[in-house]
């Protein structure tokens, strides 16, 4: 048998949320609320741009694409040399780990949080240092700072956090960066940043170009509705990117993804409208959960993290609603992550919860 790396014993295969096609033969009856993707399709102009670009897919896409990096840079008011693109921000997380972590080092991240921080850390040969969320299911930056060791090279902060949807303020982020010093890279994952309504939140992108030890991840997979095309990016100091690119896979974003992302950025008013609609739908879900006596985290993302009796997930699937479980259901309770879809989907979820009859 081939000699696989022993670190694989520490990992399990990443399992994505259940899809309607996996839930039953009548997939059309299911409401998909398990993957935090947009329930809405790409903007019409994006669809047309992709359609026009299809005949060119026999050619390799542009590597390190200038057009897409320039569009992202103009969107944020930064230099294009500070932008790295990839087939989803998760690939840049792995790039970060390969470039900064390794045997004899460690990386700090919250738990529960995005599973790839742990996966990438272990894959790089580094030691994962997981820090529990605080009592409000929010990333505990003080505890994370205390967990940093002399061999720590990366601290991952998901803001808002996945799967809880809670956020930390911009001021807290700045204080955290100041506490760690410049020899620890602070990797801030803002995959859900467009959905945040809280007044104390602002993107860390300006910090990423001002500070030598900050990188910010963003994605087109959520609010832009481009999850199927896999386009993500990072912004950091150009000096960091020159090193990151040495382990970054080439041709990371397909030609259709590049065209779609560039066009999507031309419609900020529609992004704002979607964020507003999501916030209204989130209120419907949170109010409904509160009225029904369910415990949940205060979310600023396009999902809600809720506690429910064991087997609620299976009961919801029977009612035609697919969510995602993040806890095994010990002591009679399991934690579910419910994506916030349209208003109709949100009300349908609450109605399905009522029909489950196990609250």
């Amino acid at each position: 048998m081939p000699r696989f790396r022993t670190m694989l014993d520490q990992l399990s295969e990443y399992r994505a949320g259940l899809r309607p096609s996996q839930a039953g033969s009548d997939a059309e009856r299911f409401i998909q609320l398990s993957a935090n993707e947009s329930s809405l399709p790409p903007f019409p102009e994006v669809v047309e741009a992709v359609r026009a670009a299809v005949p060119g897919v026999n050619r390799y896409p542009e590597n390190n694409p200038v057009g897409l990096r320039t569009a992202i840079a103009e969107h944020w008011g930064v230099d294009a040399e500070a932008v790295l693109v990839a087939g989803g921000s998760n690939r840049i997380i792995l790039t970060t780990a390969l470039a900064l972590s390794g045997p004899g080092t460690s990386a700090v991240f919250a738990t529960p949080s995005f599973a790839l921080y742990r996966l990438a850390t272990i894959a790089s040969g580094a030691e994962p240092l997981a820090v529990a969320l605080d009592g409000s299911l929010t990333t505990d930056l003080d505890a994370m700072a205390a967990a940093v060791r002399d061999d720590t090279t990366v601290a991952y902060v998901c803001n808002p956090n996945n799967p809880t949807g809670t956020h930390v303020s911009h001021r807290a982020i700045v204080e955290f960066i100041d506490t760690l010093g410049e020899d620890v890279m602070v990797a801030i994952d803002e995959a859900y940043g467009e959905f945040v309504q809280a007044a104390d939140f602002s993107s860390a992108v300006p910090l990423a170009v001002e500070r030598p030890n900050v990188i910010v991840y963003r994605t087109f997979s959520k609010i832009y509705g481009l999850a199927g095309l896999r386009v993500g990016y990072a912004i950091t100091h150009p000096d960091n990117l020159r090193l990151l690119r040495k382990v970054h896979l080439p041709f990371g974003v397909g030609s259709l993804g590049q065209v779609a992302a560039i066009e999507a950025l031309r419609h900020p008013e529609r992004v704002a409208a979607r964020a507003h609609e999501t916030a209204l739908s989130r209120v419907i879900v949170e109010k409904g959960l509160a009225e029904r006596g369910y415990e949940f985290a205060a979310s600023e993302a396009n999902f809600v993290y809720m506690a429910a009796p064991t087997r609620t997930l299976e009961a919801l699937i029977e009612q035609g609603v697919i969510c995602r479980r993040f806890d095994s259901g010990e002591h009679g309770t399991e934690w579910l992550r419910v994506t916030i879809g349209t208003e109709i989907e949100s009300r349908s979820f609450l109605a399905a919860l009522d029909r489950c009859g196990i609250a």
Side-chain angles (χ1 to χ4, degrees), residues 302-351:
N302 68 329
F303 53 87
V304 172
Y305 192 62
M306 60 172 287
T310 303
R311 294 196 57 78
T312 298
L313 177 67
E314 288 78 7
L316 283 169
I317 291 174
E318 291 175 2
Q319 298 299 326
V321 176
I322 304 175
C323 303
R324 185 166 182 182
R325 179 162 47 214
F326 275 80
D327 189 277
S328 60
E330 296 179 359
H331 310 298
T333 301
E334 62 187 14
W335 283 90
L336 304 179
R337 190 190 66 190
V338 184
T339 300
I340 300 299
T342 63
E343 179 180 346
I344 292 175
E345 289 175 331
S346 295
R347 295 191 185 281
S348 296
F349 158 70
L350 293 172

Side-chain angles (χ1 to χ4, degrees), residues 9 18 25 29 70 100 102 147 167 188-189 200 202 213 261 272 280 300 330 343:
D9 295 336
L18 189 69
S25 57
R29 79 179 181 90
T70 299
L100 287 154
H167 81 290
I188 304 171
D189 189 346
D200 62 353
S202 61
N213 65 322
L280 293 178
E300 285 290 337
E330 296 179 359
E343 179 180 346

Side-chain angles (χ1 to χ4, degrees), residues 102-324:
T105 71
S106 63
V108 174
F109 48 85
T111 184
S113 193
F114 186 35
L116 198 64
Y117 309 142
R118 179 177 181 272
L119 188 156
T121 298
I122 294 175
S124 74
E127 180 181 353
L129 304 176
V131 177
L133 303 178
D134 67 17
S136 63
L137 298 177
T138 300
T139 301
D140 191 334
L141 293 179
D142 290 338
M144 284 184 61
V148 169
R149 306 187 314 207
D150 290 341
D151 65 359
T152 301
T153 57
V154 187
Y156 297 97
V157 179
C158 193
N159 197 31
N161 184 51
N162 175 20
T164 61
T166 52
H167 81 290
V168 292
S169 70
H170 182 73
R171 179 178 178 180
I173 288 286
V174 172
E175 292 175 351
F176 180 67
I177 296 169
D178 289 341
T179 298
L180 297 193
E182 294 185 358
D183 61 342
V184 178
M185 177 68 82
V186 181
I188 304 171
D189 189 346
E190 295 181 348
Y192 304 95
E194 288 89 355
F195 295 105
V196 182
Q197 303 290 304
D200 62 353
F201 174 91
S202 61
S203 175
V205 165
L207 297 175
V209 293
E210 295 169 1
R211 305 289 188 102
N213 65 322
V214 178
I215 184 169
V216 174
Y217 309 125
R218 284 268 175 163
T219 183
F220 287 90
S221 295
K222 309 304 179 185
I223 203 165
Y224 291 99
L226 301 181
L229 287 177
R230 310 304 299 127
V231 188
Y233 63 95
I235 295 177
T236 189
H237 194 281
D239 289 345
N240 294 332
L241 286 190
R242 281 188 276 274
L243 296 171
L244 289 169
R245 287 194 182 101
K246 292 185 177 184
V247 291
H248 191 58
L249 293 176
F251 305 114
V253 182
S255 54
L256 301 185
Q258 293 181 29
V259 166
I262 290 171
E263 182 60 39
L265 286 172
R266 296 188 176 119
H267 305 279
E269 72 290 343
R270 293 190 183 175
V271 174
R274 284 191 176 184
H276 179 69
E277 291 169 8
T278 300
L280 293 178
S281 194
R282 188 172 64 219
V283 169
I284 291 172
V285 171
E286 292 183 335
K287 181 179 178 181
L289 291 176
E291 290 173 345
R292 290 161 174 80
Y294 287 95
E295 180 184 357
F296 60 91
S299 177
E300 285 290 337
N302 68 329
F303 53 87
V304 172
Y305 192 62
M306 60 172 287
T310 303
R311 294 196 57 78
T312 298
L313 177 67
E314 288 78 7
L316 283 169
I317 291 174
E318 291 175 2
Q319 298 299 326
V321 176
I322 304 175
C323 303
R324 185 166 182 182

